[in-house]
Amino acid sequence: MRYLSFPSEQSHYTFGLSTKGFSMSLFLQRFIYSAVLVFMLAFGAASQVVRPSLSVGFMNGGRATTSNFYFKSGLSANVTAFINTVNPKITPGFSIGIERLDSETLIPAGLEYQVLLSDKSNTGFLTIGGGYAFAAKNEEYEKTDGFDYQGGAFFNPGWGFRWSLNNGDHLFVAIKYKHQFMKTEFHSQGMDVFTDRYNYMLLHFTTGIIF
């Protein structure tokens, strides 16, 4: 049995919850609450003004630093609330998700646009998204004192295809290019701060459903 401790500015709260080797931070807890809230609001919207979407994905590529390139792969899950507009071919939405790249966990949140390529029920579409990915966990850096693992902005254009179901829902698949900016700071005992900036360059394969 392990215990979760969530720090606060005034005190510490400890919950007797078994994690079986997985440490959940307060930030991840807030992410879960936010994702559930977005999904509930989307389903509760009247007149189909908002259409919720669930998707999962696989990422493959690498991390580029000033001197090296490290191959990385991982998984993703996203909740998106798409908003119906006057132009049915253009659909904006707000997205929040979780990504796991080897030893790193990111919480991306931002905007996403889908642009349909035809009026047909089964059609291709272009997608463009961007936002900020919060750094939630890095098992490699957490082993060393003084490291501050931070997130960064991202953008991810792509192309996909979606199929209309009889009940009005849509299944889709998409392939995207994701560029993720990241930063890590190291605070030495002499109070010097060393900053390492690097980028993720990833192919992101996703599939999901729009309700």
Side-chain angles (χ1 to χ4, degrees), residues 96-128:
I96 186 170
I98 185 169
E99 297 176 350
R100 179 71 174 178
L101 286 164
D102 293 341
S103 61
E104 301 177 60
T105 302
L106 301 173
I107 309 295
L111 298 176
E112 180 178 349
Y113 282 82
Q114 285 191 2
V115 181
L116 302 184
L117 298 179
S118 75
D119 295 323
K120 298 179 181 179
S121 56
N122 301 331
T123 181
F125 62 88
L126 299 177
T127 176
I128 178 68

mmCIF file of all heavy atoms in Angstrom, residues 96-128:
data_model
loop_
_atom_site.group_PDB
_atom_site.id
_atom_site.type_symbol
_atom_site.label_atom_id
_atom_site.label_comp_id
_atom_site.label_asym_id
_atom_site.label_seq_id
_atom_site.Cartn_x
_atom_site.Cartn_y
_atom_site.Cartn_z
ATOM 1 N N ILE A 96 -8.690 18.594 -24.857
ATOM 2 C CA ILE A 96 -7.777 18.337 -23.751
ATOM 3 C C ILE A 96 -7.474 16.843 -23.748
ATOM 4 O O ILE A 96 -8.348 16.026 -24.060
ATOM 5 C CB ILE A 96 -8.365 18.795 -22.401
ATOM 6 C CG1 ILE A 96 -7.324 18.639 -21.289
ATOM 7 C CG2 ILE A 96 -9.637 18.040 -22.059
ATOM 8 C CD1 ILE A 96 -7.725 19.284 -19.986
ATOM 9 N N GLY A 97 -6.234 16.483 -23.460
ATOM 10 C CA GLY A 97 -5.867 15.073 -23.542
ATOM 11 C C GLY A 97 -4.717 14.727 -22.630
ATOM 12 O O GLY A 97 -4.286 15.514 -21.786
ATOM 13 N N ILE A 98 -4.228 13.511 -22.814
ATOM 14 C CA ILE A 98 -3.069 13.027 -22.077
ATOM 15 C C ILE A 98 -2.197 12.235 -23.044
ATOM 16 O O ILE A 98 -2.712 11.484 -23.889
ATOM 17 C CB ILE A 98 -3.482 12.171 -20.866
ATOM 18 C CG1 ILE A 98 -2.259 11.770 -20.047
ATOM 19 C CG2 ILE A 98 -4.281 10.953 -21.290
ATOM 20 C CD1 ILE A 98 -2.587 11.167 -18.701
ATOM 21 N N GLU A 99 -0.898 12.450 -22.978
ATOM 22 C CA GLU A 99 0.057 11.773 -23.856
ATOM 23 C C GLU A 99 1.167 11.154 -23.018
ATOM 24 O O GLU A 99 1.664 11.780 -22.070
ATOM 25 C CB GLU A 99 0.653 12.751 -24.862
ATOM 26 C CG GLU A 99 -0.371 13.354 -25.805
ATOM 27 C CD GLU A 99 0.219 14.389 -26.738
ATOM 28 O OE1 GLU A 99 1.395 14.781 -26.531
ATOM 29 O OE2 GLU A 99 -0.489 14.804 -27.668
ATOM 30 N N ARG A 100 1.547 9.964 -23.393
ATOM 31 C CA ARG A 100 2.623 9.251 -22.712
ATOM 32 C C ARG A 100 3.711 8.921 -23.714
ATOM 33 O O ARG A 100 3.496 8.167 -24.659
ATOM 34 C CB ARG A 100 2.077 7.973 -22.080
ATOM 35 C CG ARG A 100 3.102 7.126 -21.367
ATOM 36 C CD ARG A 100 3.576 7.770 -20.083
ATOM 37 N NE ARG A 100 4.464 6.867 -19.339
ATOM 38 C CZ ARG A 100 5.055 7.178 -18.204
ATOM 39 N NH1 ARG A 100 4.829 8.359 -17.652
ATOM 40 N NH2 ARG A 100 5.850 6.325 -17.595
ATOM 41 N N LEU A 101 4.885 9.544 -23.552
ATOM 42 C CA LEU A 101 6.030 9.310 -24.429
ATOM 43 C C LEU A 101 7.152 8.692 -23.596
ATOM 44 O O LEU A 101 7.872 9.400 -22.894
ATOM 45 C CB LEU A 101 6.500 10.616 -25.068
ATOM 46 C CG LEU A 101 5.617 11.178 -26.182
ATOM 47 C CD1 LEU A 101 5.968 12.626 -26.449
ATOM 48 C CD2 LEU A 101 5.785 10.349 -27.447
ATOM 49 N N ASP A 102 7.271 7.382 -23.661
ATOM 50 C CA ASP A 102 8.257 6.656 -22.861
ATOM 51 C C ASP A 102 8.118 7.035 -21.389
ATOM 52 O O ASP A 102 7.131 6.683 -20.766
ATOM 53 C CB ASP A 102 9.673 6.920 -23.389
ATOM 54 C CG ASP A 102 9.882 6.317 -24.777
ATOM 55 O OD1 ASP A 102 9.093 5.432 -25.152
ATOM 56 O OD2 ASP A 102 10.805 6.733 -25.470
ATOM 57 N N SER A 103 9.069 7.791 -20.834
ATOM 58 C CA SER A 103 9.025 8.131 -19.414
ATOM 59 C C SER A 103 8.352 9.472 -19.141
ATOM 60 O O SER A 103 8.310 9.924 -17.997
ATOM 61 C CB SER A 103 10.451 8.166 -18.846
ATOM 62 O OG SER A 103 11.237 9.150 -19.507
ATOM 63 N N GLU A 104 7.819 10.120 -20.170
ATOM 64 C CA GLU A 104 7.256 11.452 -20.017
ATOM 65 C C GLU A 104 5.740 11.442 -20.189
ATOM 66 O O GLU A 104 5.213 10.723 -21.027
ATOM 67 C CB GLU A 104 7.880 12.408 -21.035
ATOM 68 C CG GLU A 104 9.388 12.534 -20.915
ATOM 69 C CD GLU A 104 9.974 13.427 -21.991
ATOM 70 O OE1 GLU A 104 9.587 14.607 -22.038
ATOM 71 O OE2 GLU A 104 10.804 12.939 -22.784
ATOM 72 N N THR A 105 5.060 12.260 -19.385
ATOM 73 C CA THR A 105 3.613 12.414 -19.471
ATOM 74 C C THR A 105 3.280 13.882 -19.683
ATOM 75 O O THR A 105 3.729 14.735 -18.921
ATOM 76 C CB THR A 105 2.914 11.913 -18.200
ATOM 77 O OG1 THR A 105 3.257 10.539 -17.981
ATOM 78 C CG2 THR A 105 1.402 12.032 -18.332
ATOM 79 N N LEU A 106 2.494 14.168 -20.734
ATOM 80 C CA LEU A 106 2.100 15.529 -21.074
ATOM 81 C C LEU A 106 0.584 15.654 -21.064
ATOM 82 O O LEU A 106 -0.132 14.684 -21.349
ATOM 83 C CB LEU A 106 2.631 15.924 -22.457
ATOM 84 C CG LEU A 106 4.148 15.881 -22.669
ATOM 85 C CD1 LEU A 106 4.480 16.143 -24.132
ATOM 86 C CD2 LEU A 106 4.836 16.896 -21.772
ATOM 87 N N ILE A 107 0.109 16.860 -20.749
ATOM 88 C CA ILE A 107 -1.314 17.172 -20.767
ATOM 89 C C ILE A 107 -1.535 18.294 -21.791
ATOM 90 O O ILE A 107 -1.419 19.476 -21.461
ATOM 91 C CB ILE A 107 -1.822 17.624 -19.388
ATOM 92 C CG1 ILE A 107 -1.420 16.626 -18.307
ATOM 93 C CG2 ILE A 107 -3.340 17.822 -19.414
ATOM 94 C CD1 ILE A 107 -2.050 15.276 -18.440
ATOM 95 N N PRO A 108 -1.828 17.955 -23.061
ATOM 96 C CA PRO A 108 -2.046 18.995 -24.071
ATOM 97 C C PRO A 108 -3.468 19.546 -24.012
ATOM 98 O O PRO A 108 -4.436 18.799 -23.848
ATOM 99 C CB PRO A 108 -1.803 18.257 -25.388
ATOM 100 C CG PRO A 108 -2.186 16.844 -25.081
ATOM 101 C CD PRO A 108 -1.852 16.607 -23.636
ATOM 102 N N ALA A 109 -3.596 20.862 -24.147
ATOM 103 C CA ALA A 109 -4.902 21.519 -24.195
ATOM 104 C C ALA A 109 -4.830 22.627 -25.237
ATOM 105 O O ALA A 109 -3.828 23.343 -25.318
ATOM 106 C CB ALA A 109 -5.274 22.089 -22.835
ATOM 107 N N GLY A 110 -5.884 22.751 -26.041
ATOM 108 C CA GLY A 110 -5.845 23.792 -27.066
ATOM 109 C C GLY A 110 -7.051 23.749 -27.970
ATOM 110 O O GLY A 110 -8.092 23.162 -27.644
ATOM 111 N N LEU A 111 -6.916 24.371 -29.134
ATOM 112 C CA LEU A 111 -7.978 24.453 -30.124
ATOM 113 C C LEU A 111 -7.698 23.515 -31.288
ATOM 114 O O LEU A 111 -6.542 23.234 -31.612
ATOM 115 C CB LEU A 111 -8.111 25.891 -30.643
ATOM 116 C CG LEU A 111 -8.491 26.959 -29.610
ATOM 117 C CD1 LEU A 111 -8.489 28.336 -30.271
ATOM 118 C CD2 LEU A 111 -9.846 26.663 -28.995
ATOM 119 N N GLU A 112 -8.760 23.039 -31.910
ATOM 120 C CA GLU A 112 -8.639 22.186 -33.087
ATOM 121 C C GLU A 112 -9.715 22.567 -34.095
ATOM 122 O O GLU A 112 -10.864 22.820 -33.709
ATOM 123 C CB GLU A 112 -8.775 20.709 -32.718
ATOM 124 C CG GLU A 112 -8.650 19.763 -33.903
ATOM 125 C CD GLU A 112 -8.747 18.308 -33.517
ATOM 126 O OE1 GLU A 112 -8.706 18.017 -32.301
ATOM 127 O OE2 GLU A 112 -8.877 17.474 -34.421
ATOM 128 N N TYR A 113 -9.343 22.620 -35.361
ATOM 129 C CA TYR A 113 -10.289 22.904 -36.434
ATOM 130 C C TYR A 113 -10.325 21.734 -37.404
ATOM 131 O O TYR A 113 -9.276 21.203 -37.784
ATOM 132 C CB TYR A 113 -9.900 24.171 -37.199
ATOM 133 C CG TYR A 113 -10.253 25.461 -36.501
ATOM 134 C CD1 TYR A 113 -9.427 25.974 -35.518
ATOM 135 C CD2 TYR A 113 -11.411 26.159 -36.831
ATOM 136 C CE1 TYR A 113 -9.743 27.160 -34.870
ATOM 137 C CE2 TYR A 113 -11.739 27.349 -36.201
ATOM 138 C CZ TYR A 113 -10.898 27.845 -35.219
ATOM 139 O OH TYR A 113 -11.216 29.019 -34.588
ATOM 140 N N GLN A 114 -11.533 21.352 -37.819
ATOM 141 C CA GLN A 114 -11.709 20.389 -38.898
ATOM 142 C C GLN A 114 -12.408 21.078 -40.065
ATOM 143 O O GLN A 114 -13.429 21.742 -39.871
ATOM 144 C CB GLN A 114 -12.525 19.181 -38.442
ATOM 145 C CG GLN A 114 -11.761 18.207 -37.559
ATOM 146 C CD GLN A 114 -12.514 16.893 -37.347
ATOM 147 O OE1 GLN A 114 -13.603 16.692 -37.898
ATOM 148 N NE2 GLN A 114 -11.931 16.011 -36.570
ATOM 149 N N VAL A 115 -11.853 20.908 -41.262
ATOM 150 C CA VAL A 115 -12.420 21.499 -42.478
ATOM 151 C C VAL A 115 -12.754 20.363 -43.440
ATOM 152 O O VAL A 115 -11.846 19.680 -43.950
ATOM 153 C CB VAL A 115 -11.433 22.492 -43.126
ATOM 154 C CG1 VAL A 115 -12.059 23.097 -44.380
ATOM 155 C CG2 VAL A 115 -11.040 23.585 -42.139
ATOM 156 N N LEU A 116 -14.045 20.148 -43.679
ATOM 157 C CA LEU A 116 -14.479 19.076 -44.572
ATOM 158 C C LEU A 116 -14.141 19.428 -46.012
ATOM 159 O O LEU A 116 -14.241 20.585 -46.431
ATOM 160 C CB LEU A 116 -15.982 18.843 -44.432
ATOM 161 C CG LEU A 116 -16.491 18.489 -43.024
ATOM 162 C CD1 LEU A 116 -17.985 18.194 -43.070
ATOM 163 C CD2 LEU A 116 -15.729 17.314 -42.446
ATOM 164 N N LEU A 117 -13.774 18.410 -46.787
ATOM 165 C CA LEU A 117 -13.362 18.624 -48.169
ATOM 166 C C LEU A 117 -14.507 18.470 -49.163
ATOM 167 O O LEU A 117 -14.332 18.733 -50.359
ATOM 168 C CB LEU A 117 -12.232 17.668 -48.528
ATOM 169 C CG LEU A 117 -10.944 17.835 -47.696
ATOM 170 C CD1 LEU A 117 -9.902 16.821 -48.129
ATOM 171 C CD2 LEU A 117 -10.402 19.255 -47.829
ATOM 172 N N SER A 118 -15.684 18.015 -48.717
ATOM 173 C CA SER A 118 -16.844 17.889 -49.607
ATOM 174 C C SER A 118 -18.112 17.900 -48.764
ATOM 175 O O SER A 118 -18.059 17.880 -47.531
ATOM 176 C CB SER A 118 -16.762 16.601 -50.436
ATOM 177 O OG SER A 118 -17.066 15.475 -49.635
ATOM 178 N N ASP A 119 -19.267 17.921 -49.461
ATOM 179 C CA ASP A 119 -20.567 17.884 -48.780
ATOM 180 C C ASP A 119 -21.065 16.463 -48.554
ATOM 181 O O ASP A 119 -22.153 16.273 -48.007
ATOM 182 C CB ASP A 119 -21.609 18.656 -49.605
ATOM 183 C CG ASP A 119 -21.285 20.142 -49.691
ATOM 184 O OD1 ASP A 119 -20.792 20.689 -48.693
ATOM 185 O OD2 ASP A 119 -21.513 20.735 -50.768
ATOM 186 N N LYS A 120 -20.320 15.471 -48.967
ATOM 187 C CA LYS A 120 -20.743 14.081 -48.829
ATOM 188 C C LYS A 120 -20.715 13.664 -47.359
ATOM 189 O O LYS A 120 -19.970 14.212 -46.543
ATOM 190 C CB LYS A 120 -19.837 13.171 -49.645
ATOM 191 C CG LYS A 120 -19.872 13.446 -51.144
ATOM 192 C CD LYS A 120 -18.925 12.513 -51.877
ATOM 193 C CE LYS A 120 -18.945 12.792 -53.376
ATOM 194 N NZ LYS A 120 -18.002 11.911 -54.116
ATOM 195 N N SER A 121 -21.530 12.656 -47.032
ATOM 196 C CA SER A 121 -21.563 12.169 -45.647
ATOM 197 C C SER A 121 -20.259 11.467 -45.267
ATOM 198 O O SER A 121 -19.829 11.537 -44.115
ATOM 199 C CB SER A 121 -22.748 11.219 -45.465
ATOM 200 O OG SER A 121 -22.685 10.141 -46.397
ATOM 201 N N ASN A 122 -19.652 10.795 -46.233
ATOM 202 C CA ASN A 122 -18.332 10.192 -46.026
ATOM 203 C C ASN A 122 -17.321 11.038 -46.789
ATOM 204 O O ASN A 122 -17.363 11.097 -48.027
ATOM 205 C CB ASN A 122 -18.296 8.748 -46.528
ATOM 206 C CG ASN A 122 -19.316 7.867 -45.837
ATOM 207 O OD1 ASN A 122 -19.675 8.105 -44.685
ATOM 208 N ND2 ASN A 122 -19.801 6.854 -46.535
ATOM 209 N N THR A 123 -16.428 11.676 -46.090
ATOM 210 C CA THR A 123 -15.552 12.646 -46.747
ATOM 211 C C THR A 123 -14.226 12.790 -46.016
ATOM 212 O O THR A 123 -14.115 12.484 -44.815
ATOM 213 C CB THR A 123 -16.240 14.023 -46.829
ATOM 214 O OG1 THR A 123 -15.371 14.946 -47.485
ATOM 215 C CG2 THR A 123 -16.545 14.558 -45.433
ATOM 216 N N GLY A 124 -13.247 13.257 -46.756
ATOM 217 C CA GLY A 124 -11.983 13.605 -46.141
ATOM 218 C C GLY A 124 -12.058 14.978 -45.479
ATOM 219 O O GLY A 124 -12.976 15.756 -45.732
ATOM 220 N N PHE A 125 -11.084 15.256 -44.634
ATOM 221 C CA PHE A 125 -11.055 16.561 -43.973
ATOM 222 C C PHE A 125 -9.609 16.939 -43.647
ATOM 223 O O PHE A 125 -8.728 16.074 -43.517
ATOM 224 C CB PHE A 125 -11.895 16.550 -42.689
ATOM 225 C CG PHE A 125 -11.414 15.595 -41.626
ATOM 226 C CD1 PHE A 125 -10.460 15.971 -40.679
ATOM 227 C CD2 PHE A 125 -11.926 14.301 -41.551
ATOM 228 C CE1 PHE A 125 -10.025 15.095 -39.702
ATOM 229 C CE2 PHE A 125 -11.502 13.411 -40.574
ATOM 230 C CZ PHE A 125 -10.545 13.805 -39.648
ATOM 231 N N LEU A 126 -9.396 18.227 -43.555
ATOM 232 C CA LEU A 126 -8.132 18.772 -43.075
ATOM 233 C C LEU A 126 -8.298 19.158 -41.612
ATOM 234 O O LEU A 126 -9.385 19.579 -41.194
ATOM 235 C CB LEU A 126 -7.719 19.998 -43.889
ATOM 236 C CG LEU A 126 -7.495 19.776 -45.375
ATOM 237 C CD1 LEU A 126 -7.152 21.113 -46.057
ATOM 238 C CD2 LEU A 126 -6.399 18.756 -45.631
ATOM 239 N N THR A 127 -7.251 19.014 -40.845
ATOM 240 C CA THR A 127 -7.308 19.367 -39.436
ATOM 241 C C THR A 127 -6.065 20.166 -39.058
ATOM 242 O O THR A 127 -4.971 19.908 -39.570
ATOM 243 C CB THR A 127 -7.430 18.106 -38.548
ATOM 244 O OG1 THR A 127 -7.400 18.497 -37.169
ATOM 245 C CG2 THR A 127 -6.290 17.139 -38.808
ATOM 246 N N ILE A 128 -6.260 21.145 -38.202
ATOM 247 C CA ILE A 128 -5.159 21.939 -37.687
ATOM 248 C C ILE A 128 -5.453 22.242 -36.221
ATOM 249 O O ILE A 128 -6.571 22.594 -35.866
ATOM 250 C CB ILE A 128 -4.967 23.245 -38.487
ATOM 251 C CG1 ILE A 128 -3.827 24.087 -37.906
ATOM 252 C CG2 ILE A 128 -6.251 24.040 -38.541
ATOM 253 C CD1 ILE A 128 -2.463 23.490 -38.070
#
